[in-house]
Amino acid sequence: MDNSVKTVTARAHVNIALIKYWGKKDEELKIPFCSSLSLTLDKFYTDTTIRPAEKGETSDTVYIDGVLLSQEEALRVRKYLNTVRKMYKMFGYIVVDSINNVPISAGLASSSSAFAALATALNKYLNLNLNEKQLSALARLGSGSATRSIYGGFALWQSGTNHETSYSVKVPYSNDELVMCIILVNKNKKKVSSTIAMSQSVNSQKYLNYVEENKQLLIQMLAAFKEDDFIKIGNTMQQSSDLMHQMINETGISFYEPKTVQIINKIKKIQTEIPMFYTIDAGPNVKVLTRKENVERLKDIFANEEIIVCQSGVGSYVKN
Ligand code: PMV
């Protein structure tokens, strides 16, 4: 390791999947059954600073939002750092200080920004000089969805078959008129982690059907981008979300709260008139894809809710 770089800070933004990733073929390497596609958002991000641990420390130290994690709480990050240590011969322990501008573990994809920021910081700290694809693969080892937050705008995570081939690429589509509005139903930590819920889905008899249908939706989405057809993009996104939650419900789990269902029903009712489409992750919050021109109407319709209007965000980067 080059010791000239002592402290590195990197920022990565959250991404929200339009075509969902749900289920791993390989738990360790986080190789998914399906490719997925996302939009990186401008408003939610993680800033992660890493520095060498004090002499004599016997493990990595992790702070999240200023709070020191116990060894147990830090297990996921410590395991990740151990993997990186083995892979890239990183000697010595480090201190990770992560500040989230996003509620964590609430289905707002905080792990996507967290591990993308950490991987981006490690790339600089260890002088790895990884290209974007390699960096995306490194982020994936921490959290599957993080593989897409290396890129700004739309990203496609190609499932691949091993560490080298499972990474994201940038999707050459942009549309300045698109916004993703987050309707906050509940900011608290979710009850079931996506890792546990995913593994239960993978063991379900219905899982392979799910995979086939989601693969078709990705093809449909890429066609919608090519045709620049917003209605098709929105409908396809909504179908992928419904499909994932049907799959999850098969295992007796639901991430929806009553309010989530109310919001979904309202959107379904008005979307023929005002084009807006929903997607939901492993938590109760609803993300609505629409055009800028519809934002005021959306705010009127959901006047009692907290809404955060997001646009396309940039890819991860080192700040110092
Ligand atoms: O990578 P994880 O464990 O945060 O899984 C994320 C899964 C979903 O957010 C539900 C879907 C996705 O593609 O981001």
Side-chain angles (χ1 to χ4, degrees):
M1 189 185 120
D2 173 358
N3 283 323
S4 61
V5 180
K6 284 290 182 199
T7 300
V8 177
T9 302
R11 175 173 291 185
H13 288 76
V14 155
N15 74 74
I16 298 297
L18 281 72
I19 298 293
K20 301 297 185 193
Y21 143 58
W22 193 253
K24 303 174 192 71
K25 259 186 200 160
D26 183 321
E27 291 275 344
E28 266 322 289
L29 292 176
K30 299 188 173 55
I31 309 294
F33 277 90
C34 294
S35 297
S36 54
L37 190 148
S38 63
L39 175 63
T40 297
L41 304 183
D42 58 348
K43 295 267 169 74
F44 297 137
Y45 57 84
T46 302
D47 280 339
T48 295
T49 301
I50 55 178
R51 57 185 158 85
E54 296 295 326
K55 255 196 174 141
E57 279 291 341
T58 52
S59 70
D60 298 303
T61 307
V62 183
Y63 291 87
I64 293 191
D65 296 328
V67 178
L68 172 66
L69 300 194
S70 67
Q71 290 281 309
E72 182 61 28
E73 288 165 333
L75 195 64
R76 185 163 175 191
V77 177
R78 284 172 41 230
K79 267 176 111 175
Y80 177 67
L81 294 173
N82 285 337
T83 307
V84 178
R85 241 186 298 272
K86 264 194 219 144
M87 207 174 246
Y88 292 108
K89 304 192 180 18
M90 169 172 109
F91 299 109
Y93 294 107
I94 61 169
V95 179
V96 176
D97 204 337
S98 184
I99 305 290
N100 289 283
N101 179 33
V102 48
I104 50 178
S105 303
L108 285 173
S110 58
S111 66
S112 67
S113 54
F115 281 99
L118 182 53
T120 303
L122 285 167
N123 186 29
K124 173 83 188 283
Y125 184 82
L126 299 171
N127 274 327
L128 300 177
N129 291 317
L130 302 180
N131 63 33
E132 282 182 324
K133 288 175 184 169
Q134 291 167 324
L135 183 55
S136 166
L138 184 64
R140 190 203 71 244
L141 295 172
S143 174
S145 55
T147 195
R148 300 181 306 234
S149 276
I150 300 303
Y151 300 90
F154 292 98
L156 170 66
W157 175 12
Q158 300 171 338
S159 53
T161 52
N162 55 28
H163 177 63
E164 284 70 31
T165 56
S166 187
Y167 54 75
S168 300
V169 293
K170 196 168 168 53
V171 175
Y173 177 78
S174 66
N175 184 336
D176 291 343
E177 289 308 305
L178 289 189
V179 287
M180 196 172 266
C181 302
I182 316 295
I183 306 184
L184 283 174
V185 171
N186 192 337
K187 282 185 246 185
N188 296 332
K189 206 168 158 48
K190 61 201 178 201
K191 291 181 200 89
V192 188
S193 77
S194 47
T195 306
I196 290 173
M198 267 185 211
S199 66
Q200 295 199 15
S201 291
V202 170
N203 291 329
S204 156
Q205 282 192 342
K206 301 255 169 87
Y207 188 70
L208 288 182
N209 277 345
Y210 162 79
V211 168
E212 280 320 306
E213 285 184 47
N214 206 43
K215 280 182 179 169
Q216 288 308 314
L217 290 177
L218 176 59
I219 294 168
Q220 192 174 302
M221 182 63 88
L222 292 172
F225 279 145
K226 226 178 197 167
E227 294 153 19
D228 196 14
D229 183 340
F230 171 63
I231 304 293
K232 192 166 168 177
I233 291 172
N235 271 319
T236 309
M237 177 189 81
Q238 202 169 292
Q239 285 174 45
S240 180
S241 176
D242 285 345
L243 185 68
M244 181 183 85
H245 288 280
Q246 279 157 19
M247 177 67 253
I248 294 169
N249 293 347
E250 285 291 330
T251 68
I253 297 172
S254 175
F255 288 107
Y256 291 5
E257 289 184 9
K259 209 172 187 186
T260 314
V261 180
Q262 282 167 21
I263 295 170
I264 289 177
N265 288 340
K266 233 178 187 175
I267 292 172
K268 277 185 172 162
K269 226 170 163 181
I270 52 171
Q271 65 187 178
T272 45
E273 202 189 311
I274 314 164
M276 49 177 76
F277 305 89
Y278 62 82
T279 187
I280 294 145
D281 293 290
N285 301 304
V286 183
K287 294 103 188 179
V288 183
L289 190 70
T290 190
R291 290 199 190 97
K292 271 183 197 163
E293 63 192 21
N294 299 320
V295 168
E296 287 315 311
R297 292 179 79 180
L298 178 95
K299 284 183 174 169
D300 282 348
I301 295 161
F302 296 105
N304 296 325
E305 312 301 338
E306 191 181 341
I307 299 178
I308 302 159
V309 182
C310 300
Q311 284 180 256
S312 176
V314 297
S316 66
Y317 60 95
V318 171
K319 292 179 75 184
N320 62 330

